[in-house]
Amino acid sequence: MVSLIGAVQAQEIVPRPARMERGAGEFALTPATRIFASGGALAEASMLRDYLRPATGFDLPIVADNAANAANAIRLKLDPKLSALGKEGYRLVSDARGVTISAADTAGLFYGAQTLRQMLPADIYRKAKVQRSWTLAAVKIEDQPRFGWRGSHLDTARHFMPKTFLLKHLELLAQNKMNVFHWHLTDDQGWRIEIKRYPLLTQVGAWRSETQLTPRPGDPPGLRYDGQPHGGFYTQDDIREVVAYAAARHITVVPEIEMPGHARAAIAAYSELGNNPDKKLSVGRDWGVIPEVFNAEESTVRFLQQVLDEVLVLFPSQYIHVGGDECPKIEWAHSPAALARMKQLKLVSASTTLQDLQDYRDAQGKPAEHPALHQLQSWIIGQMDGYLTQHGRRLLGWDEILEGGLAPGATVMSWRGEEGGLKAASAGHDVVMTPERDTYFDYYQADPSSPGFREPLGARQVTTLQRVYAYEPVPARLSPALAHHVLGSQAQLWTEYMPDSRHVEYMAWPRLLAMAENLWTPKALKDYPQFQQRLAPALQRLDAQDVNYRPADGPRWPR
């Protein structure tokens, strides 16, 4: 089969399939169309029927007897002979008589069904009947993803997002063949997951008194606050619902429980977890790096592992994210208990004092954090790595977990550029490449200094749609023999400056479409001008689903 560029108008598919050729004619979906499926394909057939029913008004029957010559049919078939396409690959063949989707695994059938939907008019995504014909072109497609990790991160700690929005976000990810939802659940500014053993984590830690407002040009100097309480959390039943909804769409939900930094909300709930237990803290209301972190006591390690006991029951994901980023060590450098722990672990000599930790200088004579402080963080991360390994899971953390030594079973998310990923892969560890300059979607989408600028507030810099599309997850400096350690990539949606779901959508889409193609489509087929041609129908699909995306030709803001 050959790949087409711009030749097939009826199915502008995102992400672009690996191989596709146009046939003669088209298939018309009618009330008489039947869906043939049996065995393991029945669940995907049922979901496809549910997807097609609202806009067409057709309640298509699912028939187990797969008559080979039946016309006006959609067939879903599990075929072990297609194992070379992997669990997520599929083959789709359509002609005037019908559509056949074949795959070695149910995930492949699901993604084939998403391609079928994109081949139909964008109205197919509406939730009420549309009076029109439903046709799709005759094609042959053989498709499979380039990377196994194709994700979207979402921070619900800084600003709580309603469960209904999470479900909508998951559905949009699935439509575009993304398969990981990285759910950031805890941070300084809010603890969002119910832990039954420790109810104060949500009774206290889920609520802050007010939120920092970022100064804009012309504002008076100093920090300002909105004066409005903010909070919320997800019950364990909420989380089960989200996880089940995602699993039905072949999306793995990876929870992130921050440690040992980004811990103030938890310490506000249980002061004994901090380094100054007699000091009563409130949940963080400021952005940036907050100095309060978990202490290194055995009791705190047990507390965090008991939290993870409940997390593991809720999330079947192989990976559990423990954060590990932006952990200031100043409290440890002033803590007798932390120094005693470092001596016990032989990270420092018996004669080391707190003043020695505080006065440490690097090789250039500049003030720096003592290496033992990084090693103490690695000890904490190592305790979690051992715990997760014992429970058949794998630890995932931001690239700071490399500092002081990487835990044996750890996988690294490289966010401060590519260096952490290169270092981890060279040491034989798997990596998810997430460099902030290319994958952080809280960055502006246009230059704030440009004339007539009307974009919502961004964190910093500019990350355009084209830049996202051009991003290459496998670093050029990485040896080809180590490339298999790069699992893939994902987009990061940090919500300090995204107070509601409509704002999140504006920052996410269509950049998530570019990321989806980046991670699914073969590198040799990536073509930005051709992607731009396919963007118009993709945006029509978002319109049909009331997604507040940024238009390709410029801002749509204020909303």
Side-chain angles (χ1 to χ4, degrees):
M1 285 189 287
V2 296
S3 172
L4 299 185
I5 298 178
V8 180
Q9 299 302 318
Q11 69 288 338
E12 300 291 3
I13 301 163
V14 176
R16 182 181 181 178
R19 292 170 292 279
M20 180 171 68
E21 67 178 18
R22 177 68 184 267
E26 60 185 19
F27 171 65
L29 191 69
T30 73
T33 302
R34 291 172 293 171
I35 300 176
F36 287 96
S38 60
L42 283 171
E44 304 306 329
S46 179
M47 180 165 282
L48 177 59
R49 178 180 61 183
D50 292 344
Y51 275 139
L52 298 177
R53 181 189 294 118
T56 65
F58 306 157
D59 192 11
L60 305 180
I62 297 174
V63 183
D65 180 16
N66 193 0
N69 296 318
N72 201 1
I74 299 173
R75 294 180 177 83
L76 273 65
K77 298 167 53 178
L78 287 172
D79 185 352
K81 292 182 290 187
L82 295 179
S83 59
L85 294 177
K87 293 184 65 174
E88 296 180 306
Y90 65 93
R91 180 179 293 158
L92 185 152
V93 179
S94 61
D95 57 26
R97 296 178 63 81
V99 183
T100 299
I101 301 171
S102 308
D105 189 271
T106 55
L109 292 180
F110 178 82
Y111 292 127
Q114 300 313 309
T115 295
L116 184 154
R117 294 174 77 196
Q118 290 196 20
M119 291 169 65
L120 290 164
D123 284 337
I124 197 65
Y125 291 88
R126 296 195 177 276
K127 298 299 185 185
K129 187 175 180 179
V130 180
Q131 294 291 346
R132 63 166 304 151
S133 61
W134 303 98
T135 60
L136 52 89
V139 294
K140 292 182 180 179
I141 295 173
E142 194 167 276
D143 200 11
Q144 64 189 121
R146 182 184 176 200
F147 292 102
W149 189 293
R150 307 179 304 279
S152 169
H153 156 285
L154 179 61
D155 167 23
T156 58
R158 272 51 176 270
H159 278 103
F160 179 76
M161 299 292 158
K163 181 183 63 178
T164 52
F165 170 66
L166 300 184
L167 301 180
K168 180 183 180 184
H169 189 66
L170 288 167
E171 172 61 28
L172 293 168
L173 294 179
Q175 290 171 16
N176 295 285
K177 303 182 176 73
M178 304 284 267
N179 68 351
V180 176
F181 176 54
H182 173 180
W183 195 358
H184 189 85
L185 284 161
T186 74
D187 218 296
D188 295 304
Q189 298 83 11
W191 184 284
R192 306 290 178 219
I193 175 174
E194 178 188 28
I195 301 297
K196 293 186 181 295
R197 182 165 187 157
Y198 296 111
L200 295 183
L201 287 172
T202 47
Q203 291 176 15
V204 174
W207 309 93
R208 61 176 180 262
S209 61
E210 57 184 353
T211 300
Q212 176 189 332
L213 297 174
T214 298
R216 295 175 180 269
D219 285 345
L223 297 180
R224 299 181 300 118
Y225 300 88
D226 64 3
Q228 300 296 318
H230 178 83
F233 66 93
Y234 306 100
T235 68
Q236 293 197 359
D237 285 337
D238 290 333
I239 289 171
R240 290 186 188 95
E241 184 178 348
V242 171
V243 170
Y245 188 90
R249 288 153 181 80
H250 300 275
I251 293 174
T252 299
V253 182
V254 176
E256 180 174 355
I257 310 297
E258 283 271 16
M259 60 185 82
H262 290 289
R264 181 154 167 170
I267 298 170
Y270 294 95
S271 61
E272 64 270 23
L273 302 175
N275 293 279
N276 298 290
D278 295 332
K279 181 180 179 181
K280 184 61 178 174
L281 297 173
S282 59
V283 175
R285 60 179 187 153
D286 299 313
W287 307 136
V289 178
I290 291 179
E292 287 82 19
V293 302
F294 289 125
N295 63 45
E297 297 299 308
E298 293 280 3
S299 58
T300 298
V301 170
R302 285 196 300 273
F303 179 100
L304 293 171
Q305 290 176 344
Q306 287 163 351
V307 167
L308 291 181
D309 285 342
E310 297 189 30
V311 170
L312 296 188
V313 173
L314 294 169
F315 296 93
S317 167
Q318 179 187 15
Y319 293 93
I320 303 295
H321 205 303
V322 300
D325 61 311
E326 297 180 326
C327 178
K329 315 296 192 299
I330 188 169
E331 283 194 330
W332 292 348
H334 288 78
S335 166
L339 178 60
R341 172 69 66 201
M342 286 183 270
K343 289 182 178 180
Q344 179 192 34
L345 297 172
K346 303 190 184 316
L347 305 180
V348 295
S349 68
S351 61
T352 300
T353 67
L354 288 175
Q355 199 65 48
D356 293 331
L357 299 178
Q358 297 160 25
D359 292 343
Y360 182 77
R361 300 290 189 272
D362 63 18
Q364 287 73 44
K366 298 179 181 179
E369 290 180 334
H370 195 286
L373 297 172
H374 295 293
Q375 293 165 1
L376 184 60
Q377 173 169 329
S378 287
W379 176 78
I380 294 172
I381 296 298
Q383 298 303 297
M384 301 304 155
D385 182 60
Y387 164 89
L388 290 172
T389 299
Q390 290 172 5
H391 289 78
R393 309 296 184 93
R394 295 183 64 181
L395 181 141
L396 181 61
W398 302 106
D399 57 54
E400 285 94 332
I401 66 174
L402 288 158
E403 298 167 355
L406 189 58
T411 296
V412 172
M413 275 191 171
S414 185
W415 75 276
R416 296 178 299 175
E418 296 180 336
E419 293 302 324
L422 289 166
K423 183 177 179 182
S426 297
H429 291 262
D430 289 340
V431 180
V432 179
M433 296 299 293
T434 57
E436 59 177 325
R437 193 64 188 83
D438 302 286
T439 71
Y440 274 39
F441 287 6
D442 55 337
Y443 280 26
Y444 285 106
Q445 299 180 75
D447 185 353
S449 64
S450 60
F453 180 77
R454 291 192 300 111
E455 295 285 345
L457 187 65
R460 58 182 77 85
Q461 301 190 56
V462 180
T463 299
T464 63
L465 181 70
Q466 186 170 5
R467 185 182 184 108
V468 174
Y469 193 86
Y471 171 59
E472 170 49 46
V474 180
R477 292 178 290 158
L478 184 65
S479 164
L482 298 175
H484 67 280
H485 283 299
V486 178
L487 302 180
S489 184
Q490 63 182 32
Q492 276 58 241
L493 288 162
W494 299 104
T495 63
E496 286 95 331
Y497 309 123
M498 303 182 204
D500 56 59
S501 58
R502 299 292 280 177
H503 196 143
V504 172
E505 288 185 341
Y506 190 90
M507 302 301 279
W509 304 97
R511 288 189 289 189
L512 268 174
L513 294 174
M515 179 64 77
E517 184 150 318
N518 223 348
L519 300 175
W520 181 281
T521 302
K523 182 179 179 181
L525 291 185
K526 284 180 57 182
D527 182 319
Y528 186 67
Q530 202 267 345
F531 169 75
Q532 289 178 298
Q533 294 176 17
R534 286 179 289 111
L535 192 57
L539 296 182
Q540 290 174 6
R541 294 190 283 270
L542 297 182
D543 278 327
Q545 298 173 89
D546 188 32
V547 178
N548 188 49
Y549 62 86
R550 183 186 190 272
D553 58 355
R556 179 169 57 193
W557 201 266
R559 294 158 291 175

